[in-house]
Amino acid sequence: MSEPHTPYDPAADGAQMAFDGRMSYGDYLALDKVLTAQSPLSEAHDELLFIVQHQTSELWMKLALHEMTAAKAAVASGNLPPAFKMLTRTARIFDQLNSSWDVLRTMTPSDYTTFREALGQSSGFQSYQYRAIEFLAGNKNAAMLRPHAHVPEVHDWLTKLQRETSLYDEAIALLARSGFKIDADHLSRNPAEPYQANESVHDAWIEVYKDPQAHWPLYELAEKLVDFEDYFRRWRFNHVTTVERVIGFKRGTGGTSGVTYLRRMLDVVLFPEIWALRADL
């Protein structure tokens, strides 16, 4: 007859087991706040899925903003190696966000209708962190500030981002500082205005790509930007297909045209000259 099995005790290996007056895992992560932040407004089973998916997406976007802000500062100072790491991380964050749509797509149209009315006029269209990511990347549209006018501190922050240079503006300024001939009026453009592709910027990136060894840091920067936009576009595309699958062509809860609006966003290109040069190489 075998000896009775003694359950493993982590304390025997030195694990701390008592946390009276000491910081625990839950304390450090403020899990009491995080795990009680879900407040479904209906009895529908799938509303918790909907809330958790969107809350976790906002957390990932918070991290993306942290990385993009630091990457922009690094590019502005010409310190590219840290920027490369930050942009790589940002791209992987959007890869993670892409995976989250797979979970939400387990919700059927019938499931969604059980709690859709509880959402009122709230909509992902109103995500101020998503808007900040677009502004930081260079997609400036002052009209998108209006849904945030009711929260002055958010509106002021977004207005500041909309008026400041973007990550792409700083990449173009770096091209100029590196000796490439960029049109002076393009360098002095109002950064609050929507970005328009410029031939001198296109020509500069062409030169970088035709001789990567001579311009390796700029070449790698361009590829990091493309990598980020690639994952960002996939995220927008997965957003469209998920909405189409779950609500079809109904209007969005926030009043947008829903799928039609989201499809229009697929046409937005953040770094147009870098993407266009592929046809000229």
Side-chain angles (χ1 to χ4, degrees), residues 50-51 53-55 57-58 61 101 104 112 115-116 119-134 144 147-148 150 158 232 235-236 239-240 243 247 251-258 261-262 265:
F50 190 82
I51 292 172
Q53 195 270 343
H54 286 83
Q55 286 184 341
S57 292
E58 290 291 337
M61 284 191 276
W101 293 121
L104 192 63
Y112 184 52
F115 67 87
R116 188 173 192 246
L119 302 180
Q121 283 73 53
S122 64
S123 168
F125 167 75
Q126 300 146 12
S127 168
Y128 63 83
Q129 291 199 123
Y130 173 76
R131 200 61 57 206
I133 288 170
E134 287 206 312
M144 297 304 186
H148 310 287
H150 65 296
L158 287 176
F232 187 61
W235 184 83
R236 286 191 301 205
H239 190 183
V240 173
V243 170
I247 72 170
R251 281 201 164 270
T253 48
T256 70
S257 55
Y261 163 76
L262 293 172
M265 296 303 100

Side-chain angles (χ1 to χ4, degrees), residues 26-100:
D27 297 330
Y28 177 70
L29 296 177
L31 292 182
D32 56 333
K33 297 178 181 177
V34 174
L35 298 179
T36 57
Q38 299 75 43
S39 302
L41 299 178
S42 75
E43 298 298 320
H45 176 81
D46 279 37
E47 190 180 356
L48 183 60
L49 160 64
F50 190 82
I51 292 172
V52 168
Q53 195 270 343
H54 286 83
Q55 286 184 341
T56 53
S57 292
E58 290 291 337
L59 286 173
W60 282 117
M61 284 191 276
K62 181 175 182 176
L63 181 57
L65 284 166
H66 176 68
E67 300 297 336
M68 291 175 70
T69 301
K72 176 189 164 184
V75 172
S77 68
N79 189 17
L80 292 184
F84 297 156
K85 179 177 181 179
M86 295 159 186
L87 290 171
T88 296
R89 184 174 292 164
T90 303
R92 297 305 171 266
I93 289 168
F94 274 91
D95 188 26
Q96 181 71 32
L97 283 165
N98 272 311
S99 298
S100 70

Side-chain angles (χ1 to χ4, degrees), residues 130-256:
Y130 173 76
R131 200 61 57 206
I133 288 170
E134 287 206 312
F135 286 174
L136 261 173
N139 183 26
K140 306 290 184 72
N141 183 349
M144 297 304 186
L145 292 168
R146 294 204 300 270
H148 310 287
H150 65 296
V151 187
E153 60 270 27
V154 169
H155 187 269
D156 290 348
W157 176 57
L158 287 176
T159 300
K160 181 174 180 289
L161 289 177
Q162 189 252 342
R163 293 175 179 174
E164 289 178 346
T165 57
S166 69
L167 172 61
Y168 193 47
D169 288 328
E170 294 299 343
I172 293 169
L174 181 60
L175 282 173
R177 294 198 303 273
S178 301
F180 292 93
K181 294 180 180 179
I182 307 297
D183 293 339
D185 58 347
H186 191 68
L187 289 172
S188 62
R189 59 179 284 277
N190 181 358
E193 296 296 321
Y195 185 81
Q196 299 292 326
N198 176 270
E199 189 173 351
S200 68
V201 174
H202 177 266
D203 291 345
W205 286 125
I206 280 282
E207 193 172 334
V208 168
Y209 270 76
K210 284 187 173 178
D211 193 358
Q213 294 303 323
H215 311 290
W216 191 266
L218 291 169
Y219 174 72
E220 189 167 0
L221 174 60
E223 282 299 294
K224 295 299 183 184
L225 292 173
V226 167
D227 196 35
F228 158 65
E229 183 164 3
D230 186 5
Y231 282 99
F232 187 61
R233 283 187 183 185
R234 294 186 210 183
W235 184 83
R236 286 191 301 205
F237 177 77
N238 276 312
H239 190 183
V240 173
T241 56
T242 301
V243 170
E244 188 171 355
R245 174 171 174 163
V246 175
I247 72 170
F249 287 86
K250 296 176 183 176
R251 281 201 164 270
T253 48
T256 70

